[in-house]
Amino acid sequence: MMRGRAPTRDEKRLAWALWVLAFAALWLTESAVGYTRDESVYFIAGESYASWFRQLFQSPARALTDAAIVRAWDYNHEHPVLMKTLFGLSHLLFHTELGWLRSATAFRLPAFAMAALIPALTFLLGSAMYGRAAGLFAAFAFMLVPRQYFNAELACFDVPVAAMWLLVVYCFWRALEDVRWGLWCGVAFGLTLAAKHNALFLPFVLTPFALWRAWSASAGQPEARAWLGRFVGVFAAVAVLYGLLVLSLGGGAGFQRKFLLLSPHTLLFAGLAVGGAWVLRGVDKVNAPVTRALAPIAAMAVLGPVIFYLHWPYLWHQPVDRTAWYLAFHAKHNHYAWFYLNQLLREPPFPLAYVVVKTALTVPTSLFVPMVTGLAALVARMVLGAFERTRAWVERPVTLTEAIVGVNAVASILIISHPQVPHFGGVKHWFPSMVFLGILAGAAVARGCTALWERLKASWPSLPQAAVAAPVFAVLLAPALVSSVRVFPYGTAAYSELAGGLPGAATLGMQRQFWSSHVTGVLPWINANAKQGARLYLHEVHGGSFRDYQRNGMLRPDLRAAGSPADADIVAYQYHQEFREHEFLTWQAFGTRTPVTGLYLDETPQVVVYVRPETR
Amino acid sequence: MTRALPLVELGGLLVVALLCLVFHLRLPGRLPQEADYRAAAQRLQAEARPGDAVLLFPWWTERARLFVPPAIPVYGYLGSDKDDLSAHPRVWVLGQPELPRSDEAGFLETFLPGRRAVGEVSRHGPLTLTLYENGRHRPRRFTATEAYARARVYLEQPDGTRRDCPFDGRAHRCPGPAHLYVAPEWHEILYEPRRCLWMHAPGGKQRLVAELDGVHGGLGLRLEGGIIFEHAFPKDARLSTTHLGVDDAATGAQLLSLAIPPGLEGVQKAETRLPGGAPHTVRVWVQADNADRRQVCLDVLAVEPEVGVRG
């Protein structure tokens, strides 16, 4: 499969079925999942943003003032707001207005919808590339990774941005065959920018493929080649002019200060849009495949910033300064302590192999190995196919689509592997890669199933391929399913068989958990045993989460939040290597080193509960 | 050959998956039940003597704290395999050698030198409980954390002028910021829980001093201390080296000293032999030009030599 193709009716049905299955599974299981530190922040943000929409409905003129916008949208302005707005509106509709869902479920619903896109789209792309079996395996391969399933439950951005990244790539791929998808690619890119900043890397990943395709499609057609040159020229000229503008204005600060609605800055952007459109119209007259290759890039360049600006009211009155602040925040993000192979990583440079090692130790091994063989086979075909002497060894050359999938499978991993990039957050920052690694795993499994089926067909001619694929899938997916069920809902504690599970990972010196959501494991004990009105110190649990546990009926409403062990009657300490001092402060405050209960997953301490002796 | 590759690959994938399933099937049997812990705790309750300690293997298996009788200290921290546990003449090792990646041989290689197993290993499900005679035990004749209430504590300027830090029944509190006091507390020094004397450096050239009487002569005098929690890690140039010392109050001679520059983590130790004769009075002090992140916790001990193992 060289270029994009529309799904067949059966593929569409299966994709919908996968979407519904994933959405339903996430919805049915979410109530057990605790509220991560970030999630409760996004709950608050979502409510605040939703309140602005109420105001917009009731008093539009006032709502559109900067003061009203800042009042509602200033909270958590370090992230764009597409997902938080959806969380907030869903909460407003399904909890506040209709009362159909508990508060947390209503917030999380849009996250499920977005996460469910991953198996559906993965199936469509995988099926088009390697057949239905590969697509199906890829779809399950993402959702059965315990950490990925856990993150899919959360009203956060990491799984949604992986889904959006996949959507952009899917649109890009479809655009290679149908130019209208180029426009959708631009829209999807804008929405991805609105989901999380990972999207900023997408143009760098996809543009080389667009140019490669345009270059090969224009071979032997000088006029088309000339238009391709003009396309590159327009973008290069705008980039150079922006560079000169920065220099002439005395650097980034001057550039930012002089960036007004009517300024050379916006003029250059308009020039890019007009120039890009002019080139696309021109090239379309001589070579449609070149147009289809370039249209997504032009659409991303133009629609991306426009949608990003429009989706975020916080930017409407002060787009430049507030966007600059947002970008600077992520360029200089804090480094949180992170335990890795018995070392507490606190600051860069971080180990180059971190991402690969962490992936190997957390993705169920029966899924990780086909990911590796799938990627290795693709790379081997690419390398062998590049040389005259070895080309014959390759059954079929690597297609453009395969190259796109292969590069996307490693792009996020390579970006996060950079030793200066923050390394906290487990595996969530390279989820976009995992989607594509799943497709390559599907390819590896499917080619084995096909080979086995062909061998068996010699003896049983009527043997359907599914009769081979189904048991193979069952064997390969079963360990991941067992692992997922075993660790659920404590997803940040999931470790693979290669690690030796959670006990093996603890001995290896890996971070056992983070984000505080495992506290749900001790809340029933606290509810049953805490004295009326007891002061409760939930270590690492965000104040908003404390409120959310009470709001959603998971924590008794009479219990009061305490700020430290010294002020508390009960302490639930989250076992982190970097926070050992907090447990010893509890020993000091309570005069005992003996906990009363705890959450111990496969023996590893996760949350340890102490009670002040005089209040027992 | 190339046609066989997918089959070989699939075969490999299936073998891996089956091994994974075996791993999951075996794992529950390698984990102790509550009854196993209770049985081990019963043996400890019956056989442990005052001064005994429990060491966890692997170091992180802290669920045991729920069950071990509270009177017996439990050690289990990153690095505890190497701990001399010198305060304890006997050590019970509560082990889980069947856990994935448990390296019992590696543990024993670190733990065994200077120690000898006493009696038989008892097994409680996958738990093992073994008593060891601790040849690294050093009987303690004096510890500052126990004698702190009798100390005279003051802030001392370089010219010798002093401001007293009166004892309020719990701590010796100094004039100035609330963190300037001396009292024994639990703190972390590079993952290790230590009950030690909180002596935050006061800043500038002045010293926080605790004067302690009754330190036996003719023994090893040890100073052990460090910067607690995450504060030891930063190497920021604005931070300054912390100096810890022990002087002989009678002669003014410096007996022990430690310098802890920014970035130096862990417990730092120094030892000297205190001359025999009448009990000594020592001045334990802390000083750092910049007091920021110089949260010191220390102990001063008078200890006998290692007892070694018998037989």
Side-chain angles (χ1 to χ4, degrees):
Chain A
M1 175 60 55
M2 177 66 180
R3 294 177 293 278
R5 74 154 169 83
T8 63
R9 184 190 288 187
D10 279 355
E11 283 176 329
K12 275 185 192 166
R13 282 181 183 159
L14 264 171
W16 274 112
L18 286 166
W19 187 91
V20 170
L21 180 66
F23 183 83
L26 290 167
W27 190 349
L28 289 172
T29 52
E30 72 82 27
S31 63
V33 176
Y35 310 125
T36 61
R37 291 178 62 81
D38 294 20
E39 200 179 21
S40 283
V41 172
Y42 304 151
F43 287 173
I44 297 168
E47 273 191 288
S48 178
Y49 305 164
S51 74
W52 180 83
F53 282 101
R54 270 178 185 257
Q55 190 184 17
L56 183 67
F57 192 68
Q58 290 158 354
S59 175
R62 190 181 297 173
L64 291 169
T65 62
D66 192 46
I69 286 173
V70 167
R71 203 161 38 245
W73 297 86
D74 189 58
Y75 187 78
N76 191 240
H77 62 257
E78 50 264 46
H79 291 291
V81 297
L82 172 66
M83 292 313 301
K84 287 178 287 182
T85 303
L86 293 175
F87 302 153
L89 291 176
S90 171
H91 183 264
L92 180 65
L93 178 64
F94 294 115
H95 177 73
T96 311
E97 294 297 327
L98 300 173
W100 288 355
L101 300 174
R102 68 171 193 151
S103 173
T105 311
F107 278 122
R108 286 171 166 175
L109 216 56
F112 306 156
M114 205 61 96
L117 277 179
I118 292 180
L121 285 174
T122 310
F123 167 73
L124 290 180
L125 190 53
S127 179
M129 289 173 67
Y130 299 114
R132 209 162 291 183
L136 273 175
F137 190 87
F140 287 115
F142 186 86
M143 295 308 283
L144 285 178
V145 175
R147 287 181 181 236
Q148 287 162 194
Y149 189 85
F150 168 79
N151 275 269
E153 297 276 29
L154 306 177
C156 289
F157 317 137
D158 301 291
V159 171
V161 83
M164 298 297 294
W165 183 299
L166 173 61
L167 182 64
V168 173
V169 174
Y170 183 78
C171 293
F172 177 85
W173 173 71
R174 292 291 305 275
L176 297 176
E177 201 58 31
D178 181 345
V179 75
R180 287 172 302 178
W181 281 87
L183 196 67
W184 287 119
C185 184
V187 173
F189 175 64
L191 294 175
T192 312
L193 282 174
K196 203 178 175 189
H197 60 278
N198 308 41
L200 292 166
F201 295 98
L202 261 167
F204 301 99
V205 175
L206 293 180
T207 303
F209 291 107
L211 296 177
W212 175 17
R213 170 68 189 142
W215 180 263
S216 54
S218 61
Q221 294 183 41
E223 200 177 346
R225 215 24 98 71
W227 279 110
L228 173 58
R230 288 181 198 115
F231 185 84
V232 173
V234 167
F235 275 75
V238 169
V240 168
L241 288 171
Y242 268 124
L244 290 173
L245 200 57
V246 171
L247 288 176
S248 66
L249 294 173
F255 179 86
Q256 186 179 327
R257 207 167 39 249
K258 299 281 184 183
F259 198 153
L260 307 169
L261 182 60
L262 295 175
S263 66
H265 310 61
T266 44
L267 189 66
L268 283 175
F269 181 72
L272 179 74
V274 172
W278 167 68
V279 173
L280 288 178
R281 282 174 66 92
V283 74
D284 199 39
K285 290 173 188 156
V286 295
N287 188 317
V290 175
T291 314
R292 293 198 295 264
L294 299 180
I297 304 305
M300 286 164 73
V302 176
L303 294 178
V306 171
I307 291 172
F308 179 75
Y309 169 73
L310 289 177
H311 101 282
W312 198 350
Y314 187 68
L315 303 182
W316 290 352
H317 290 274
Q318 289 189 44
V320 177
D321 289 349
R322 289 175 184 171
T323 303
W325 184 92
Y326 158 69
L327 294 174
F329 174 84
H330 291 286
K332 299 169 190 163
H333 200 289
N334 289 344
H335 296 283
Y336 304 134
W338 196 254
F339 198 46
Y340 172 72
L341 297 180
N342 282 324
Q343 297 290 319
L344 206 49
L345 309 178
R346 292 186 189 271
E347 62 183 19
F350 298 114
L352 193 61
Y354 169 83
V355 176
V356 174
V357 172
K358 187 83 181 175
T359 305
L361 297 183
T362 56
V363 174
T365 307
S366 61
L367 299 181
F368 178 72
V369 174
M371 286 176 187
V372 171
T373 63
L375 182 63
L378 183 66
V379 172
R381 281 171 54 214
M382 206 176 285
V383 172
L384 294 174
F387 301 100
E388 193 73 43
R389 283 175 56 187
T390 53
R391 198 163 293 155
W393 300 358
V394 179
E395 209 166 297
R396 57 194 173 83
V398 171
T399 65
L400 177 71
T401 308
E402 285 181 299
I404 291 171
V405 167
V407 167
N408 277 282
V410 296
S412 296
I413 285 176
L414 289 177
I415 292 164
I416 306 296
S417 290
H418 192 288
Q420 298 296 322
V421 172
H423 274 42
F424 61 86
V427 296
K428 65 194 181 82
H429 293 151
W430 60 92
F431 280 165
S433 278
M434 301 312 295
V435 173
F436 297 94
L437 282 171
I439 293 176
L440 296 177
V445 173
R447 67 175 162 256
C449 287
T450 304
L452 183 60
W453 176 61
E454 284 170 354
R455 190 65 67 94
L456 293 175
K457 246 190 349 180
S459 306
W460 296 284
S462 60
L463 186 74
Q465 194 164 1
V468 173
V472 167
F473 275 33
V475 173
L476 292 179
L477 296 174
L481 181 64
V482 171
S483 185
S484 295
V485 170
R486 188 173 178 78
V487 80
F488 185 82
Y490 310 114
T492 64
Y495 280 94
S496 70
E497 299 85 354
L498 191 62
L502 194 41
T507 293
L508 281 172
M510 301 297 285
Q511 182 94 17
R512 284 179 223 162
Q513 57 159 334
F514 68 100
W515 250 2
S516 86
S517 61
H518 298 188
V519 74
T520 52
V522 299
L523 293 184
W525 188 94
I526 291 171
N527 286 330
N529 293 280
K531 290 193 170 171
Q532 183 72 21
R535 298 164 301 165
L536 178 58
Y537 176 57
L538 297 182
H539 170 235
E540 265 295 277
V541 173
H542 188 272
S545 303
F546 195 103
R547 182 203 61 165
D548 290 323
Y549 286 124
Q550 292 186 318
R551 185 155 117 166
N552 288 278
M554 298 169 80
L555 182 64
R556 269 174 30 202
D558 61 288
L559 299 175
R560 296 169 291 155
S564 73
D567 303 325
D569 302 313
I570 299 176
V571 168
Y573 162 75
Q574 304 252 345
Y575 198 110
H576 283 230
Q577 203 60 40
E578 73 273 25
F579 293 142
R580 301 297 294 129
E581 171 76 359
H582 292 262
E583 184 170 21
F584 308 150
L585 289 178
T586 307
W587 294 1
Q588 177 63 29
F590 286 12
T592 178
R593 285 177 278 170
T594 304
V596 292
T597 188
L599 173 67
Y600 300 90
L601 295 179
D602 292 347
E603 285 298 291
T604 62
Q606 302 279 322
V607 185
V608 186
V609 179
Y610 291 88
V611 175
R612 191 180 284 276
E614 60 263 35
T615 62
R616 280 181 194 170
Chain B
M1 174 63 186
T2 50
R3 287 190 169 278
L5 267 180
L7 278 176
V8 173
E9 183 185 21
L10 182 66
L13 297 180
L14 289 171
V15 168
V16 167
L18 290 170
L19 289 173
C20 291
L21 279 172
V22 169
F23 172 85
H24 287 294
L25 287 172
R26 286 190 60 213
L27 183 58
R30 297 155 87 174
L31 304 172
Q33 303 297 310
E34 203 170 305
D36 301 328
Y37 275 114
R38 293 203 185 283
Q42 264 177 10
R43 184 182 172 203
L44 285 169
Q45 187 72 55
E47 297 181 28
R49 295 182 201 154
D52 284 3
V54 169
L55 178 67
L56 303 175
F57 162 70
W59 62 269
W60 51 265
T61 51
E62 294 211 7
R63 189 176 163 214
R65 287 188 190 279
L66 291 169
F67 304 96
V68 172
I72 308 173
V74 178
Y75 292 84
Y77 62 90
L78 179 58
S80 59
D81 295 4
K82 288 182 269 186
D83 195 326
D84 289 338
L85 303 173
S86 66
H88 306 285
R90 305 196 314 168
V91 176
W92 297 83
V93 173
L94 185 57
Q96 298 199 42
E98 292 175 37
L99 285 177
R101 292 197 182 272
S102 275
D103 176 13
E104 192 176 25
F107 166 76
L108 291 175
E109 195 180 345
T110 309
F111 172 79
L112 267 184
R115 288 167 172 141
R116 188 175 64 95
V118 181
E120 292 298 304
V121 181
S122 62
R123 295 184 187 280
H124 314 277
L127 291 177
T128 59
L129 185 61
T130 317
L131 176 61
Y132 289 88
E133 179 189 344
N134 185 17
R136 302 186 209 169
H137 171 51
R138 301 186 70 180
R140 295 177 172 191
R141 297 288 171 245
F142 175 88
T143 60
T145 47
E146 287 171 9
Y148 88 102
R150 300 188 304 274
R152 291 174 298 283
V153 179
Y154 47 86
L155 293 167
E156 185 180 60
Q157 296 294 336
D159 63 4
T161 55
R162 297 175 177 181
R163 286 186 295 163
D164 283 342
C165 306
F167 186 57
D168 67 3
R170 231 204 95 243
H172 299 269
R173 300 201 180 274
C174 302
H179 61 255
L180 284 184
Y181 64 90
V182 175
E185 292 183 345
W186 281 104
H187 284 290
E188 175 214 338
I189 302 180
L190 193 59
Y191 318 130
E192 181 183 346
R194 290 186 72 95
R195 185 163 167 77
C196 44
L197 277 187
W198 170 261
M199 287 184 74
H200 195 300
K205 295 298 177 195
Q206 68 176 341
R207 293 171 164 187
L208 174 58
V209 182
E211 223 172 85
L212 296 148
D213 301 324
V215 183
H216 299 271
L219 298 170
L221 182 70
R222 282 178 75 81
L223 170 61
E224 300 181 352
I227 309 287
I228 69 157
F229 192 29
E230 62 193 10
H231 308 301
F233 175 78
K235 301 173 189 69
D236 195 319
R238 289 170 300 174
L239 303 176
S240 56
T241 297
T242 311
H243 299 278
L244 284 60
V246 182
D247 299 345
D248 189 319
T251 64
Q254 187 170 82
L255 301 170
L256 293 167
S257 69
L258 289 169
I260 306 176
L264 180 61
E265 298 181 276
V267 178
Q268 310 305 312
K269 297 172 183 174
E271 181 168 342
T272 188
R273 188 170 169 75
L274 205 54
H280 297 251
T281 297
V282 296
R283 288 157 34 92
V284 184
W285 55 266
V286 176
Q287 183 271 328
D289 290 350
N290 179 358
D292 185 25
R293 290 174 179 256
R294 303 292 86 185
Q295 288 94 325
V296 172
C297 208
L298 59 80
D299 206 352
V300 175
L301 316 160
V303 290
E304 294 182 8
E306 281 187 359
V307 295
V309 287
R310 287 178 296 241

